[in-house]
Coordinates of all heavy atoms in Angstrom, one line a residue:
M189 N 84.9 105.4 105.6 CA 85.7 106.6 105.9 C 87.0 106.5 105.2 O 87.7 105.5 105.3 CB 85.8 106.8 107.4 CG 86.6 108.0 107.8 SD 86.5 108.3 109.6 CE 84.9 108.9 109.7
P190 N 87.5 107.6 104.6 CA 88.8 107.5 103.9 C 90.0 107.3 104.9 O 89.8 107.6 106.1 CB 89.0 108.9 103.3 CG 87.6 109.4 103.2 CD 86.8 108.8 104.3
A191 N 91.0 106.7 104.4 CA 92.2 106.5 105.3 C 93.4 106.9 104.5 O 93.4 107.2 103.3 CB 92.3 105.0 105.5
A192 N 94.5 107.1 105.2 CA 95.7 107.6 104.6 C 97.0 106.9 105.2 O 96.9 106.2 106.2 CB 95.9 109.1 104.8
L193 N 98.1 107.1 104.4 CA 99.4 106.6 104.9 C 100.3 107.8 104.8 O 100.4 108.4 103.7 CB 99.9 105.5 104.0 CG 101.3 105.0 104.3 CD1 101.3 104.3 105.7 CD2 101.7 104.0 103.2
L194 N 100.9 108.2 105.8 CA 101.8 109.4 105.9 C 103.2 108.8 105.9 O 103.5 108.1 106.8 CB 101.6 110.3 107.1 CG 102.4 111.5 107.2 CD1 102.1 112.5 106.1 CD2 102.3 112.1 108.6
V195 N 104.0 109.1 104.9 CA 105.4 108.6 104.8 C 106.3 109.8 104.9 O 106.2 110.7 104.1 CB 105.6 107.8 103.5 CG1 107.0 107.2 103.5 CG2 104.6 106.7 103.3
S196 N 107.2 109.7 105.8 CA 108.2 110.8 106.0 C 109.6 110.3 105.9 O 109.9 109.2 106.3 CB 107.9 111.6 107.3 OG 108.1 110.7 108.4
Y197 N 110.5 111.2 105.4 CA 111.9 110.9 105.2 C 112.7 111.8 106.1 O 112.9 113.0 105.7 CB 112.3 111.0 103.8 CG 111.5 110.0 102.9 CD1 110.2 110.4 102.4 CD2 112.0 108.8 102.6 CE1 109.5 109.5 101.6 CE2 111.3 107.9 101.8 CZ 110.1 108.2 101.3 OH 109.4 107.3 100.6
P198 N 113.1 111.4 107.3 CA 113.7 112.3 108.3 C 115.1 112.8 107.7 O 115.8 112.1 107.0 CB 114.0 111.4 109.5 CG 113.1 110.2 109.3 CD 112.9 110.1 107.8
A199 N 115.3 114.1 108.0 CA 116.6 114.7 107.5 C 117.7 114.1 108.4 O 117.6 114.0 109.6 CB 116.5 116.2 107.8
T200 N 118.7 113.7 107.7 CA 119.9 113.0 108.3 C 121.1 113.6 107.6 O 121.2 113.7 106.4 CB 119.8 111.5 108.1 OG1 118.5 111.0 108.4 CG2 120.8 110.8 108.9
D201 N 122.1 113.9 108.4 CA 123.4 114.4 107.8 C 123.9 113.4 106.8 O 124.1 112.3 107.0 CB 124.4 114.7 108.9 CG 124.1 115.9 109.7 OD1 123.3 116.7 109.3 OD2 124.6 115.9 110.9
G202 N 124.2 113.9 105.6 CA 124.8 113.1 104.5 C 123.9 112.2 103.8 O 124.3 111.5 102.9
A203 N 122.6 112.3 104.1 CA 121.7 111.4 103.5 C 121.4 111.8 102.0 O 121.5 113.0 101.7 CB 120.4 111.4 104.2
R204 N 121.1 110.8 101.2 CA 120.8 111.0 99.8 C 119.3 111.0 99.6 O 118.6 110.0 100.0 CB 121.5 109.9 99.0 CG 121.2 109.9 97.5 CD 121.8 108.8 96.8 NE 121.3 107.5 97.2 CZ 120.2 106.9 96.7 NH1 119.5 107.5 95.8 NH2 119.8 105.7 97.2
F205 N 118.8 111.9 98.8 CA 117.3 111.9 98.4 C 117.3 112.6 97.1 O 117.5 113.8 96.9 CB 116.4 112.7 99.4 CG 115.0 112.4 99.2 CD1 114.3 111.4 99.8 CD2 114.3 113.2 98.2 CE1 112.9 111.2 99.6 CE2 112.9 113.0 98.0 CZ 112.3 112.0 98.6
D206 N 116.9 111.8 96.0 CA 116.8 112.2 94.7 C 115.4 112.7 94.4 O 114.5 111.9 94.0 CB 117.3 111.1 93.7 CG 117.3 111.5 92.3 OD1 116.7 112.5 91.9 OD2 118.0 110.8 91.5
R207 N 115.1 113.9 94.6 CA 113.8 114.5 94.4 C 113.3 114.3 93.0 O 112.1 114.0 92.8 CB 113.8 116.0 94.8 CG 112.4 116.6 95.0 CD 112.5 118.0 95.3 NE 112.9 118.3 96.6 CZ 112.9 119.5 97.2 NH1 112.5 120.5 96.6 NH2 113.4 119.6 98.5
D208 N 114.1 114.5 92.0 CA 113.7 114.3 90.6 C 113.2 112.9 90.3 O 112.2 112.7 89.7 CB 114.8 114.7 89.6 CG 115.1 116.1 89.6 OD1 114.3 117.0 90.0 OD2 116.3 116.5 89.3
Y209 N 113.9 111.9 90.8 CA 113.5 110.5 90.7 C 112.2 110.2 91.4 O 111.3 109.6 90.9 CB 114.6 109.5 91.2 CG 114.3 108.1 91.0 CD1 114.7 107.4 89.9 CD2 113.5 107.4 91.9 CE1 114.3 106.0 89.7 CE2 113.1 106.1 91.8 CZ 113.6 105.4 90.6 OH 113.2 104.1 90.5
Y210 N 112.1 110.8 92.6 CA 110.9 110.6 93.4 C 109.7 111.1 92.7 O 108.7 110.4 92.6 CB 111.1 111.3 94.8 CG 110.0 111.1 95.7 CD1 109.9 110.0 96.5 CD2 109.0 112.1 95.9 CE1 108.9 109.7 97.4 CE2 108.0 111.9 96.8 CZ 107.9 110.7 97.5 OH 106.9 110.5 98.4
I211 N 109.8 112.3 92.1 CA 108.7 112.9 91.4 C 108.4 112.2 90.1 O 107.2 111.9 89.8 CB 109.0 114.4 91.1 CG1 109.0 115.2 92.4 CG2 107.9 115.0 90.2 CD1 109.6 116.6 92.3
A212 N 109.4 111.9 89.3 CA 109.2 111.4 87.9 C 108.9 109.9 87.9 O 108.3 109.4 87.0 CB 110.4 111.7 87.1
T213 N 109.4 109.2 88.9 CA 109.4 107.7 88.8 C 108.6 107.1 90.0 O 107.7 106.2 89.8 CB 110.8 107.1 88.8 OG1 111.5 107.7 87.6 CG2 110.8 105.6 88.6
H214 N 109.0 107.5 91.2 CA 108.4 106.8 92.4 C 107.0 107.1 92.6 O 106.2 106.1 92.8 CB 109.2 107.1 93.7 CG 108.8 106.2 94.8 ND1 109.0 104.9 94.9 CD2 108.1 106.6 96.0 CE1 108.5 104.4 96.0 NE2 107.9 105.4 96.7
L215 N 106.6 108.4 92.6 CA 105.2 108.7 92.8 C 104.3 108.1 91.7 O 103.2 107.5 92.0 CB 105.0 110.2 92.9 CG 105.3 110.8 94.3 CD1 105.1 112.3 94.3 CD2 104.5 110.1 95.4
P216 N 104.7 108.1 90.4 CA 103.9 107.4 89.4 C 103.8 105.9 89.7 O 102.7 105.3 89.4 CB 104.6 107.8 88.1 CG 105.3 109.1 88.4 CD 105.7 109.0 89.8
L217 N 104.9 105.3 90.2 CA 104.8 103.9 90.5 C 103.8 103.6 91.6 O 103.0 102.7 91.5 CB 106.2 103.4 90.9 CG 106.3 102.0 91.3 CD1 106.1 101.0 90.2 CD2 107.7 101.7 92.0
V218 N 103.8 104.4 92.6 CA 102.9 104.3 93.7 C 101.5 104.4 93.2 O 100.6 103.6 93.5 CB 103.1 105.4 94.8 CG1 102.0 105.4 95.8 CG2 104.5 105.1 95.5
R219 N 101.2 105.4 92.4 CA 99.9 105.6 91.8 C 99.4 104.4 91.0 O 98.3 104.0 91.0 CB 99.8 106.9 91.0 CG 99.9 108.1 91.8 CD 99.9 109.4 91.0 NE 100.1 110.6 91.8 CZ 101.2 111.4 91.7 NH1 102.1 111.1 90.8 NH2 101.3 112.4 92.5
E220 N 100.3 103.9 90.2 CA 100.0 102.7 89.3 C 99.7 101.5 90.1 O 98.7 100.8 90.0 CB 101.2 102.5 88.4 CG 101.0 101.2 87.6 CD 102.3 100.7 86.9 OE1 103.3 101.5 86.8 OE2 102.4 99.6 86.5
K221 N 100.6 101.1 91.1 CA 100.5 99.9 91.8 C 99.4 99.9 92.9 O 98.7 99.0 93.0 CB 101.8 99.5 92.5 CG 102.9 99.3 91.5 CD 102.6 98.1 90.7 CE 103.8 97.7 89.8 NZ 103.5 96.6 88.9
W222 N 99.2 101.0 93.6 CA 98.3 101.1 94.6 C 96.9 101.7 94.2 O 95.9 101.6 94.9 CB 98.8 101.9 95.8 CG 99.9 101.1 96.6 CD1 100.2 99.8 96.3 CD2 100.6 101.5 97.7 NE1 101.2 99.4 97.2 CE2 101.5 100.4 98.1 CE3 100.7 102.7 98.3 CZ2 102.4 100.5 99.1 CZ3 101.6 102.8 99.4 CH2 102.4 101.7 99.8
G223 N 96.9 102.2 92.9 CA 95.6 102.7 92.4 C 94.6 101.5 92.3 O 93.4 101.7 92.4
T224 N 95.1 100.4 92.0 CA 94.2 99.2 91.9 C 93.8 98.7 93.2 O 92.9 97.8 93.3 CB 95.0 98.0 91.1 OG1 96.1 97.7 91.9 CG2 95.4 98.4 89.7
H225 N 94.4 99.2 94.3 CA 94.0 98.9 95.7 C 93.3 100.0 96.4 O 93.2 100.0 97.6 CB 95.2 98.5 96.5 CG 95.9 97.2 96.0 ND1 95.4 95.9 96.3 CD2 96.9 97.0 95.2 CE1 96.1 95.0 95.7 NE2 97.1 95.6 95.0
G226 N 92.7 100.9 95.6 CA 91.9 102.0 96.3 C 92.6 103.3 96.6 O 92.1 104.1 97.3
L227 N 93.8 103.5 96.1 CA 94.5 104.7 96.3 C 93.8 105.8 95.5 O 93.5 105.6 94.3 CB 96.0 104.6 95.8 CG 96.8 105.9 95.9 CD1 97.2 106.2 97.3 CD2 98.0 105.8 95.0
T228 N 93.4 106.9 96.2 CA 92.7 108.0 95.5 C 93.6 109.2 95.3 O 93.3 110.0 94.4 CB 91.5 108.4 96.4 OG1 91.9 108.8 97.6 CG2 90.5 107.3 96.5
D229 N 94.7 109.4 96.0 CA 95.6 110.5 95.8 C 97.0 110.2 96.4 O 97.1 109.5 97.4 CB 95.0 111.8 96.4 CG 95.6 113.0 95.9 OD1 96.3 113.0 94.9 OD2 95.4 114.1 96.5
A230 N 98.0 110.7 95.8 CA 99.4 110.5 96.3 C 100.1 111.8 96.0 O 100.3 112.2 94.8 CB 100.1 109.4 95.6
I231 N 100.5 112.5 97.0 CA 101.2 113.8 96.9 C 102.5 113.8 97.7 O 102.6 113.2 98.7 CB 100.4 115.0 97.3 CG1 99.9 114.9 98.7 CG2 99.2 115.2 96.4 CD1 99.2 116.1 99.2
G232 N 103.5 114.4 97.1 CA 104.8 114.5 97.7 C 104.9 116.0 98.2 O 104.5 116.9 97.5
M233 N 105.5 116.2 99.3 CA 105.7 117.6 99.8 C 107.1 117.8 100.3 O 107.8 116.9 100.8 CB 104.7 117.8 101.0 CG 103.3 117.7 100.5 SD 102.1 117.7 101.9 CE 102.1 116.0 102.4
W234 N 107.6 119.1 100.2 CA 108.9 119.4 100.6 C 108.9 120.6 101.6 O 108.1 121.5 101.4 CB 109.7 119.9 99.3 CG 109.4 119.1 98.1 CD1 108.8 119.6 97.0 CD2 109.6 117.7 97.8 NE1 108.6 118.6 96.1 CE2 109.1 117.5 96.6 CE3 110.2 116.7 98.6 CZ2 109.2 116.2 96.0 CZ3 110.3 115.5 98.0 CH2 109.8 115.2 96.7
P235 N 109.8 120.6 102.5 CA 109.8 121.7 103.5 C 110.3 123.0 102.9 O 111.1 122.9 101.9 CB 110.8 121.2 104.6 CG 111.6 120.2 103.9 CD 110.8 119.6 102.8
D236 N 109.8 124.1 103.3 CA 110.2 125.4 102.9 C 111.4 126.0 103.7 O 112.0 126.9 103.2 CB 109.0 126.4 102.9 CG 108.0 126.1 101.9 OD1 108.3 125.5 100.9 OD2 106.8 126.5 102.1
D237 N 111.6 125.4 104.9 CA 112.7 126.0 105.7 C 114.0 125.4 105.4 O 114.2 124.4 104.7 CB 112.3 125.9 107.2 CG 112.0 124.5 107.6 OD1 112.0 123.6 106.8 OD2 111.8 124.3 108.8
D238 N 115.1 126.1 105.9 CA 116.4 125.7 105.7 C 117.0 124.5 106.6 O 118.0 123.9 106.2 CB 117.4 126.9 105.8 CG 117.1 127.9 104.7 OD1 116.7 127.5 103.6 OD2 117.4 129.1 105.0
A239 N 116.3 124.3 107.7 CA 116.7 123.2 108.6 C 115.5 122.3 108.9 O 115.0 122.3 110.0 CB 117.3 123.8 109.8
P240 N 115.1 121.6 107.9 CA 113.8 120.8 108.1 C 114.1 119.6 108.9 O 115.2 119.0 109.0 CB 113.5 120.4 106.7 CG 114.8 120.3 106.0 CD 115.6 121.4 106.6
A241 N 113.0 119.1 109.6 CA 113.0 117.8 110.3 C 113.0 116.7 109.3 O 113.4 115.6 109.6 CB 111.9 117.8 111.3
H242 N 112.3 116.9 108.1 CA 112.2 115.9 107.1 C 112.6 116.5 105.8 O 112.3 117.6 105.5 CB 110.7 115.4 107.1 CG 110.3 114.7 108.3 ND1 109.8 115.4 109.4 CD2 110.4 113.4 108.8 CE1 109.5 114.6 110.4 NE2 109.9 113.4 110.0
V243 N 113.2 115.7 104.9 CA 113.5 116.1 103.6 C 112.3 116.0 102.6 O 112.2 116.7 101.6 CB 114.7 115.4 103.0 CG1 116.0 115.7 103.8 CG2 114.5 113.9 102.8
A244 N 111.4 115.1 102.9 CA 110.2 115.0 102.1 C 109.1 114.2 103.0 O 109.4 113.5 103.9 CB 110.4 114.1 100.9
V245 N 107.9 114.5 102.6 CA 106.7 113.8 103.2 C 105.7 113.5 102.1 O 105.5 114.3 101.2 CB 106.0 114.7 104.3 CG1 104.8 114.1 104.8 CG2 107.0 115.1 105.4
A246 N 105.2 112.3 102.2 CA 104.2 111.9 101.2 C 102.9 111.6 101.9 O 102.9 111.0 103.0 CB 104.6 110.6 100.4
L247 N 101.8 112.1 101.3 CA 100.4 111.8 101.9 C 99.7 110.9 100.8 O 99.5 111.4 99.7 CB 99.7 113.0 102.2 CG 98.3 112.8 102.8 CD1 98.4 112.0 104.1 CD2 97.6 114.1 103.0
L248 N 99.4 109.7 101.2 CA 98.8 108.8 100.3 C 97.4 108.5 100.9 O 97.2 108.0 102.0 CB 99.5 107.5 100.2 CG 101.0 107.6 99.9 CD1 101.7 106.3 100.0 CD2 101.3 108.3 98.6
T249 N 96.3 108.8 100.1 CA 95.0 108.7 100.5 C 94.3 107.5 99.8 O 94.4 107.4 98.6 CB 94.2 110.0 100.2 OG1 94.9 111.1 100.8 CG2 92.8 110.0 100.9
F250 N 93.5 106.8 100.6 CA 92.8 105.6 100.1 C 91.3 105.7 100.4 O 90.9 106.5 101.3 CB 93.4 104.3 100.8 CG 94.8 104.0 100.5 CD1 95.8 104.6 101.1 CD2 95.1 103.1 99.5 CE1 97.2 104.3 100.8 CE2 96.4 102.8 99.2 CZ 97.4 103.4 99.8
R251 N 90.5 105.0 99.7 CA 89.1 105.1 99.9 C 88.6 104.7 101.3 O 87.7 105.2 101.8 CB 88.3 104.3 98.8 CG 88.4 102.8 98.9 CD 87.4 102.1 97.9 NE 87.7 100.7 97.9 CZ 88.6 100.1 97.1 NH1 89.1 100.7 96.1 NH2 88.8 98.8 97.2
D252 N 89.4 103.7 101.9 CA 89.1 103.3 103.3 C 90.3 102.5 103.8 O 91.3 102.3 103.1 CB 87.8 102.5 103.3 CG 87.8 101.2 102.5 OD1 88.9 100.6 102.3 OD2 86.8 100.9 101.9
A253 N 90.3 102.2 105.1 CA 91.4 101.5 105.8 C 91.6 100.1 105.2 O 92.8 99.7 105.0 CB 91.1 101.4 107.3
G254 N 90.6 99.5 104.8 CA 90.7 98.1 104.2 C 91.5 98.2 102.9 O 92.3 97.3 102.6
A255 N 91.3 99.2 102.0 CA 92.0 99.4 100.8 C 93.5 99.7 101.1 O 94.3 99.1 100.4 CB 91.3 100.5 100.0
R256 N 93.7 100.6 102.0 CA 95.1 100.9 102.4 C 95.8 99.7 102.9 O 96.9 99.4 102.5 CB 95.1 102.0 103.5 CG 96.5 102.4 103.9 CD 96.5 103.1 105.3 NE 95.9 102.2 106.3 CZ 95.1 102.6 107.3 NH1 94.9 103.9 107.5 NH2 94.6 101.8 108.2
D257 N 95.2 98.9 103.8 CA 95.8 97.7 104.3 C 96.1 96.7 103.2 O 97.1 96.0 103.3 CB 95.0 97.2 105.5 CG 94.9 98.2 106.6 OD1 95.7 99.2 106.7 OD2 94.0 97.9 107.5
A258 N 95.2 96.6 102.3 CA 95.4 95.6 101.2 C 96.5 96.0 100.3 O 97.3 95.2 99.9 CB 94.1 95.5 100.4
A259 N 96.7 97.3 100.1 CA 97.8 97.8 99.3 C 99.1 97.5 100.0 O 100.1 97.0 99.4 CB 97.7 99.3 99.0
L260 N 99.2 97.7 101.3 CA 100.4 97.5 102.0 C 100.7 96.0 102.1 O 101.9 95.6 102.1 CB 100.3 98.1 103.4 CG 100.3 99.6 103.5 CD1 99.9 100.0 104.9 CD2 101.6 100.2 103.1
A261 N 99.7 95.2 102.1 CA 99.9 93.7 102.2 C 100.2 93.0 100.9 O 100.7 91.9 100.9 CB 98.7 93.1 102.9
S262 N 99.9 93.7 99.8 CA 100.0 93.1 98.5 C 101.5 92.8 98.2 O 102.3 93.7 98.2 CB 99.5 94.1 97.4 OG 99.9 93.6 96.1
A263 N 101.8 91.6 97.9 CA 103.2 91.2 97.6 C 103.7 91.9 96.4 O 104.8 92.4 96.3 CB 103.3 89.7 97.4
E264 N 102.9 92.0 95.3 CA 103.3 92.7 94.1 C 103.4 94.2 94.3 O 104.4 94.8 93.9 CB 102.3 92.3 93.0 CG 102.6 93.1 91.7 CD 101.5 93.2 90.7 OE1 100.8 92.2 90.6 OE2 101.3 94.2 90.1
A265 N 102.4 94.8 94.8 CA 102.3 96.2 94.9 C 103.1 96.8 96.1 O 103.6 97.9 96.0 CB 100.9 96.7 94.9
G266 N 103.1 96.1 97.2 CA 103.7 96.6 98.4 C 105.2 96.4 98.3 O 106.0 97.2 97.8
A267 N 105.6 95.3 99.0 CA 107.1 95.1 99.1 C 107.8 94.9 97.8 O 108.9 95.4 97.6 CB 107.3 93.9 100.0
G268 N 107.1 94.3 96.8 CA 107.7 93.9 95.6 C 108.1 95.1 94.7 O 109.1 95.2 94.1
A269 N 107.2 96.1 94.6 CA 107.4 97.2 93.7 C 107.6 98.5 94.4 O 108.7 99.2 94.3 CB 106.2 97.4 92.8
V270 N 106.7 98.9 95.3 CA 106.8 100.3 95.9 C 107.9 100.3 96.9 O 108.8 101.2 96.8 CB 105.4 100.6 96.6 CG1 105.5 101.9 97.4 CG2 104.3 100.7 95.5
F271 N 107.9 99.4 97.9 CA 109.0 99.4 98.9 C 110.3 99.1 98.3 O 111.3 99.7 98.7 CB 108.7 98.5 100.0 CG 107.4 98.7 100.7 CD1 106.6 97.7 101.2 CD2 106.9 100.0 101.0 CE1 105.4 97.9 101.8 CE2 105.8 100.3 101.6 CZ 105.0 99.2 102.0
G272 N 110.4 98.3 97.3 CA 111.6 97.9 96.6 C 112.2 99.0 95.9 O 113.4 99.0 95.6
D273 N 111.5 100.0 95.5 CA 112.0 101.2 94.7 C 112.6 102.3 95.6 O 113.3 103.1 95.1 CB 110.8 101.8 93.9 CG 111.3 102.8 92.9 OD1 112.2 102.5 92.1 OD2 110.7 104.0 93.0
V274 N 112.4 102.2 96.9 CA 112.9 103.3 97.8 C 114.4 103.5 97.7 O 114.9 104.6 97.6 CB 112.4 103.0 99.2 CG1 113.1 104.0 100.2 CG2 110.9 103.1 99.3
A275 N 115.1 102.4 97.6 CA 116.6 102.5 97.5 C 117.1 103.2 96.2 O 118.2 103.7 96.2 CB 117.2 101.1 97.6
N276 N 116.2 103.3 95.2 CA 116.6 104.0 94.0 C 116.6 105.5 94.1 O 117.2 106.2 93.3 CB 115.6 103.6 92.9 CG 115.8 102.2 92.5 OD1 116.9 101.6 92.4 ND2 114.7 101.5 92.1
F277 N 116.0 106.1 95.2 CA 116.0 107.5 95.4 C 116.5 108.0 96.7 O 116.8 109.2 96.9 CB 114.6 108.1 95.0 CG 113.5 107.7 96.0 CD1 113.3 108.4 97.1 CD2 112.7 106.6 95.7 CE1 112.2 108.0 98.0 CE2 111.7 106.2 96.5 CZ 111.5 107.0 97.7
T278 N 116.7 107.1 97.7 CA 117.2 107.6 99.0 C 117.8 106.4 99.8 O 117.6 105.3 99.6 CB 116.0 108.2 99.8 OG1 116.6 108.8 101.0 CG2 115.0 107.1 100.3
D279 N 118.7 106.9 100.7 CA 119.2 105.9 101.7 C 118.7 106.2 103.1 O 119.1 105.6 104.0 CB 120.8 106.0 101.7 CG 121.3 107.4 101.9 OD1 120.5 108.3 102.2 OD2 122.5 107.5 101.7
I280 N 117.6 107.0 103.1 CA 116.9 107.3 104.4 C 115.9 106.2 104.6 O 115.2 105.8 103.7 CB 116.2 108.7 104.3 CG1 117.2 109.8 104.0 CG2 115.4 109.0 105.5 CD1 116.6 111.2 103.7
Q281 N 115.8 105.8 105.9 CA 114.8 104.8 106.3 C 113.5 105.6 106.5 O 113.4 106.4 107.4 CB 115.2 104.1 107.6 CG 114.2 103.2 108.1 CD 113.9 102.0 107.1 OE1 114.9 101.4 106.6 NE2 112.7 101.6 106.9
P282 N 112.5 105.4 105.6 CA 111.3 106.2 105.8 C 110.5 105.7 107.0 O 110.6 104.6 107.5 CB 110.5 105.9 104.5 CG 111.0 104.6 104.0 CD 112.5 104.5 104.5
S283 N 109.7 106.7 107.5 CA 108.8 106.4 108.7 C 107.4 106.5 108.1 O 107.1 107.4 107.4 CB 109.1 107.5 109.7 OG 108.1 107.3 110.8
A284 N 106.5 105.5 108.5 CA 105.2 105.5 108.0 C 104.2 105.5 109.2 O 104.4 104.9 110.2 CB 104.9 104.3 107.1
Q285 N 103.1 106.2 109.0 CA 102.0 106.3 110.0 C 100.7 106.1 109.3 O 100.4 106.7 108.3 CB 102.0 107.6 110.7 CG 101.0 107.6 111.8 CD 101.2 108.9 112.7 OE1 102.0 109.7 112.4 NE2 100.4 108.9 113.8
L286 N 99.9 105.2 109.8 CA 98.5 104.9 109.3 C 97.6 106.0 109.9 O 97.7 106.2 111.1 CB 98.0 103.5 109.7 CG 98.9 102.4 109.3 CD1 98.4 101.0 109.8 CD2 99.1 102.3 107.8
L287 N 96.7 106.5 109.1 CA 95.8 107.6 109.5 C 94.4 107.4 109.1 O 94.2 106.8 108.0 CB 96.3 109.0 108.9 CG 97.8 109.4 109.2 CD1 98.1 110.6 108.3 CD2 97.9 109.7 110.7
T288 N 93.5 107.9 109.8 CA 92.1 108.0 109.4 C 91.8 109.5 109.0 O 92.3 110.4 109.7 CB 91.1 107.7 110.6 OG1 91.4 106.3 111.0 CG2 89.7 107.8 110.2
V289 N 91.1 109.7 107.9 CA 90.9 111.0 107.4 C 89.5 111.4 107.8 O 88.5 110.7 107.7 CB 90.9 111.0 105.8 CG1 90.6 112.4 105.3 CG2 92.3 110.6 105.4
A290 N 89.4 112.6 108.4 CA 88.1 113.1 108.9 C 87.4 113.9 107.8 O 88.0 114.5 106.9 CB 88.3 114.0 110.1

C-alpha cells in the first residue's frame, strides 16, 4: 500500500520562505535523493487565501511505508541532504506527518 509524508511550513510572523529556491532546488533535490528510496511523487502546494495557516505544504508519496521509512532513515538522503537543505529556503521549523494512502 502506498505511503506518504506530509510536510507543512506553518505561517509565522516575520518568517522567511524562499518559494523560488524551494521549487527550483529543494524539490528536485528531494526527488533525486529519495527517488532511489521509492519516492513516486513530490509536490509543493501554496495556500490561495490571504491569511494561511501554512505558507507551504509538500506531499511526498512513496511506493510503501518501508520505502518512506528507509528514505527518512538514510544518512545520505535524509539528514545529510534533504533535511540539511531546509535552512537554505526557510527559517520555519517544518512539521511532518507520516500517512497511509488509500
